[in-house]
Amino acid sequence: MVRTLVNLAIFLATAAIALLLASLLIPGFHVHPGGFVVAIIVFAIAQVFVEWLVQSLFHKSAPTVAGIAGLLSTFLALLITSLFSGVSFDGIGAWILATVVVWVVTAVLGWVAAKFITPRFDRPAKR
């Protein structure tokens, strides 16, 4: 239970950091302050669902298309987020750059968290 809550917190934190960094780095990508929390939640839910869907469609060739599937799921999650919350784009360039930045940031932070944070909750308690 604790591990699940920690993974959820990590996933929401990486989504928040990725969206914030993308809004700071990409002039055409906007996360409006009033919709930031909603954008994080919508993005996280959409990302989980779309990632599951893409992986189930490409499960046999997963190693081959893992990067493309990740980019596709991030793009679709950003699209869904823009429909339901305070995220907007100014042009196709912002769409592409935001997809790449959010995908890279969530992948790197997810890897770092899996390497350094999550294993601490896998160890048995000392007695």
Side-chain angles (χ1 to χ4, degrees):
M1 176 71 176
V2 172
R3 187 172 203 273
T4 302
L5 291 175
V6 168
N7 285 336
L8 176 64
I10 290 169
F11 191 71
L12 290 172
T14 59
I17 292 168
L19 290 173
L20 184 62
L21 273 176
S23 70
L24 293 173
L25 296 174
I26 302 165
F29 178 68
H30 310 286
V31 179
H32 306 288
F36 185 65
V37 173
V38 174
I40 293 167
I41 295 168
V42 170
F43 176 78
I45 292 169
Q47 180 72 17
V48 167
F49 176 72
V50 171
E51 187 175 323
W52 168 80
L53 183 64
V54 169
Q55 286 181 355
S56 66
L57 291 174
F58 296 110
H59 70 281
K60 292 183 180 178
S61 58
T64 308
V65 296
I68 295 169
L71 282 168
L72 178 64
S73 65
T74 301
F75 175 80
L76 292 173
L78 284 173
L79 175 66
I80 293 166
T81 304
S82 71
L83 296 174
F84 293 104
S85 66
V87 173
S88 61
F89 298 89
D90 297 336
I92 192 73
W95 272 104
I96 294 169
L97 286 173
T99 298
V100 172
V101 168
V102 170
W103 175 66
V104 167
V105 170
T106 55
V108 169
L109 291 178
W111 177 80
V112 168
K115 181 98 171 141
F116 298 108
I117 297 172
T118 306
R120 294 178 186 210
F121 293 94
D122 290 338
R123 296 182 196 145
K126 292 183 181 181
R127 294 183 184 217

